[in-house]
Amino acid sequence: MSLINRDTTLRWIELFAAQMDEHRQDLIRLDTAIGDGDHGTNMNRGMQKALEKLQAAEQADPSAVLKTVAMALISSVGGAAGPLYGTLFLQLGTALAGHAEVDLPTYAAAWRTSVEGVQARGKAEPGDKTMVDALLPAVAALEQASDLNTGLRAAADGAEQGMLATIPLIARKGRASYLGERSAGHQDPGSTSTYYLFESAAAAFTS
Amino acid sequence: MSLINRDTTLRWIELFAAQMDEHRQDLIRLDTAIGDGDHGTNMNRGMQKALEKLQAAEQADPSAVLKTVAMALISSVGGAAGPLYGTLFLQLGTALAGHAEVDLPTYAAAWRTSVEGVQARGKAEPGDKTMVDALLPAVAALEQASDLNTGLRAAADGAEQGMLATIPLIARKGRASYLGERSAGHQDPGSTSTYYLFESAAAAFTS
Amino acid sequence: MKKLINEPDDVVADALRGIEAAHGDRVRVTFDPYTIVRVDAPVKGKVGLVSGGGSGHEPLHGGFVGPGMLDAACPGEVFTSPTPDQMLEATKAVDGGAGVVHIVKNYTGDVLNFEMAAELAKAEGIEVDTILTNDDVAVEDSLYTAGRRGVGVTVLVEKIAGAAADAGKSLQEVTEVGRRVNAAGRTMGMALTPCITPASGEPSFELDEDEVEIGIGIHGEPGRFREKIGPASQIAERLMTPILEDLPFSSGDSVLAFVNGMGGTPLIELYIVYAEVAKIAAAHGLKIERNLVGNYITSLEMQGCSITLLRLDDELTRYWDAPVNTPALRWGA
Amino acid sequence: MKKLINEPDDVVADALRGIEAAHGDRVRVTFDPYTIVRVDAPVKGKVGLVSGGGSGHEPLHGGFVGPGMLDAACPGEVFTSPTPDQMLEATKAVDGGAGVVHIVKNYTGDVLNFEMAAELAKAEGIEVDTILTNDDVAVEDSLYTAGRRGVGVTVLVEKIAGAAADAGKSLQEVTEVGRRVNAAGRTMGMALTPCITPASGEPSFELDEDEVEIGIGIHGEPGRFREKIGPASQIAERLMTPILEDLPFSSGDSVLAFVNGMGGTPLIELYIVYAEVAKIAAAHGLKIERNLVGNYITSLEMQGCSITLLRLDDELTRYWDAPVNTPALRWGA
Ligand SMILES: Nc1ncnc2c1ncn2[C@@H]1O[C@H](COP(=O)(O)OP(=O)(O)O)[C@@H](O)[C@H]1O
Ligand SMILES: Nc1ncnc2c1ncn2[C@@H]1O[C@H](COP(=O)(O)OP(=O)(O)O)[C@@H](O)[C@H]1O
Ligand SMILES: [Mg+2]
Ligand SMILES: [Mg+2]
Ligand SMILES: [Mg+2]
Ligand SMILES: [Mg+2]
């Protein structure tokens, strides 16, 4: 597959929603250790809402799908993840506006803008033990790829490595930062949901 | 010993106070099962207060000792046990007024009056699963005895039997009555402290 | 046992020191014996209201001392009735010449101690009348029990009788209105967890992780029976049904609905229960004219709740609405 | 997990139904999105006050909606910041033409969502200012954290800024006085037990039977460190010392002392802690001019407490004393 279209985008979102449902308890457990234990519930509630909204009205193109997801997340997730994932999807949808089909360079550039949007909203730097630590290597992998298939696979692998790399870190942003050194040794929940986001993307687009 | 005097009365109270201290947790446990768990604390607090009051001023005779104990119990025990034991000691002290030394018939009669006082205050009938169930056989034993030594021993045995006989009963007075049938199978805490009262008396007077 | 206390034996005295420090502008606290008295007592010509009972039920009774409610409270040791000398001291402190009402929850200890106190007060020439509260439908009221326990309705009696006294009613009138509240009110409680008295250090009963205790009192006693936990809707039904049947309440009645927390239950859960109570009341044609939701008569850190319904008439409603100014209940002032 | 709830997912909606049923005379509750709004909002010409945050902290914030305090509250899911659309809806509902203040506890989620809401409201032509509360001395305020959490002082900000708005102050003035309260207040909290969110069903942390967690927030997060439990006097000292050093408070300061229960701690224990706070304050030459003791900003059924000290001046004291008429805080009305 060399282009992303509306249907693959919808499949991605459905797969991601399924992952959030399946891994709800895992995310809760991660967030209980260094946060307040709601990340799994938040993401699952948001993605269920997104599915509802997507089913309620025909979506014209990838951009429309992504903006609908963004609005659903913003108005139903709350917490830190709501505005951050909301911003991510909103920027992605905005960057892809007008494209019925999206190629790799366009897609990678849209992701770069979106991650910058997340950083602008949350002020997190790499190494702060947040979803940004999974987002950045994933986007870098996309940018370096030569085709969508391998690029999305590499992005998922990059997100996974970024997620695992959060384990030893001391959190500097979000709730986990209140724990100071006690946050080290735990995997960041937000980077974990981000890893599932790219895993779903790889599965949706590369089949 | 054929007469009760001030010193034996004081020794009785001291022994009873020591018993309440020693068996505090036992009484708490009995009262937790079918009441509110405070009988041990209540009786111990009251008897410590009684000791304090007795030490603070020279007591002229058995009656004075008993009235001092009564006032200490009334003003420091609270709960059901406070007014009931208070009444018991007050009536006993009143009945023995003017006696520097007390013989068995006088003593038994005084106890009869006192137990009637407890019944008048608390309205408990035999078999209601209260301290009255230990008091009545003890007093009956005293009345039937031929001398103080054996009489007090028999009273303690009677109280013990009365106490044990409360186990199968369904409570009809006091907090345990709220439990209805669930109160059966548990020994009544008040009859237990009453048993210690007569055990102490036997030990104090028959040595 | 983990508690925010110093020594178990000092719990009541230490808490009284806190009450004195926090509310010294409204109440006088005495320590020998323990009493909490309105700072401006006795109010001349007003009937005085004294209540009291074991500690561990806060804010009851000390938190209800102030204009429009109690004139004095006598705190006993934890879950232990106070003693007659406390009640006598309080009675003397609040006697403004119009007599004093004792509000007594129906427990053997409370009844006997208040009885002795009333005898002592009368001997000193103070007129005393007693309102006995016994609203707990979990207990059979028969010759074979100590009678029904006084629970949730006690708070309502203290408020309404307090307002009647404030309105200048006579000893007899205040007593009568308080008794009327008790007669028109019914309560039933339940627990999710037991409580631990500081002195014993042990839970008052054991409950499995999926069990609740229905028909509890306020002293950590086990209830009438235990059952598997259900949703709040079912628990509310469990408590409401015997209440509704007992008075009985009838369609068209105006009521005050009081959802009370046992001390360890968060407010969010009490509101969930209140929503169910409102639903059940509506289904029975009751009109909830007034309500109260919160921790007012508690059992230390016990989790659970009680529901009280009081049938209102115009006079009771007016007294309920009258200004009250106490640490724990305050409006119109 | 044993709770008085129906379905874990319905906790917030069910509690809102209870709040609507109990307080429908004072507040309007909307369910899509969740808001609790003063029944007479918008008050023309008055600055509107909106706050909000995760549920599970009741009575915060919904219990503080009413004359003299908040105009609206936005309840999120349990321990989860509400969403921008709730805040926008509430902001529009309370805008009386004089602008709206958002009172935001400093947590990433709350800050980001309120930020988005403020952008949306401004786009609709409503002037919005924000008061951020961040009084928790347990958290280092540095570039390397999300900054101090907003905890106990939030209640005091809502009361005092509410009084300023009631007094007809401008948007800028109300914001300024609220920020002044936050700047002059410090809080530290501790837990005896964790809490369990309905969604997770698991304790937020594990504590031994003889351990306490010091420096907790209000979301069941573990604290800064744990230690063996000591008497209330030692625990109060543990919380007071960093508070006193941080502002710092100095001998001669007039303060408001606020002992707050975390939800599962009985009032009797809070008074014991208050007695210790009063003792420590006196030893440092502080004059406690006002106080508040009770469960006002909670963490579900968690046992524990927090202590807040606020340095008072005449203006803050006057605003504190001004009438307030909300379900959870009421005087002078
Ligand atoms: N400032 C931030 N920038 C980027 N990501 C953040 C930031 N703060 C928190 N996060 C992410 O959000 C996740 C927590 O989300 P969630 O639990 O849903 O919200 P909350 O922390 O409000 O409970 C964290 O694991 C982290 O990855
Ligand atoms: N009406 C009564 N007459 C006689 N004894 C009673 C009566 N009610 C209770 N008791 C006794 O008092 C005991 C309980 O005393 P205690 O626990 O100190 O008081 P409370 O029940 O008020 O907590 C019971 O075990 C019972 O023996
Ligand atoms: Mg979280
Ligand atoms: Mg007892
Ligand atoms: Mg008792
Ligand atoms: Mg959260």
Side-chain angles (χ1 to χ4, degrees), chain D residues 259-273:
Chain D
V259 171
N260 173 62
M262 300 310 294
T265 286
L267 196 52
I268 190 171
E269 296 182 25
L270 298 182
Y271 277 118
I272 291 176
V273 172

Side-chain angles (χ1 to χ4, degrees), chain C residues 68-223:
Chain C
M69 214 160 163
L70 298 179
D71 294 273
C74 307
E77 291 298 321
V78 172
F79 290 175
T80 300
S81 154
T83 59
D85 55 327
Q86 292 174 259
M87 300 157 181
L88 178 63
E89 177 94 0
T91 302
K92 290 198 283 189
V94 310
D95 177 34
V100 175
V101 176
H102 288 175
I103 300 177
V104 184
K105 303 191 295 303
N106 187 37
Y107 300 95
T108 307
D110 296 71
V111 169
L112 297 183
N113 284 288
F114 266 109
E115 231 170 68
M116 286 186 135
E119 289 164 16
L120 295 168
K122 283 171 194 164
E124 299 203 19
I126 304 175
E127 237 190 313
V128 175
D129 247 342
T130 299
I131 302 170
L132 195 69
T133 63
N134 58 352
D135 52 312
D136 188 352
V137 298
V139 176
E140 273 179 83
D141 185 16
S142 82
L143 284 174
Y144 304 115
T145 67
R148 288 187 157 168
R149 296 176 288 221
V151 281
V153 100
T154 311
V155 177
L156 313 183
V157 168
E158 293 180 1
K159 169 66 185 82
I160 291 173
D166 224 32
K169 296 290 161 187
S170 71
L171 179 62
Q172 199 191 320
E173 289 164 328
V174 172
T175 307
E176 188 273 330
V177 82
R179 288 184 183 154
R180 208 143 61 72
V181 173
N182 180 63
R186 293 294 185 275
T187 300
M188 178 108 170
M190 60 78 60
L192 297 168
T193 62
C195 58
I196 301 181
T197 61
S200 93
E202 302 288 334
S204 54
F205 50 81
E206 303 279 352
L207 264 184
D208 274 353
E209 186 45 43
D210 63 348
E211 285 180 336
V212 296
E213 189 83 22
I214 306 278
I216 54 145
I218 54 168
H219 299 88
E221 319 90 314

Side-chain angles (χ1 to χ4, degrees), chain A residues 149-161:
Chain A
N149 270 8
T150 53
L152 284 165
R153 187 65 257 154
D157 293 346
E160 184 172 21
Q161 276 152 36

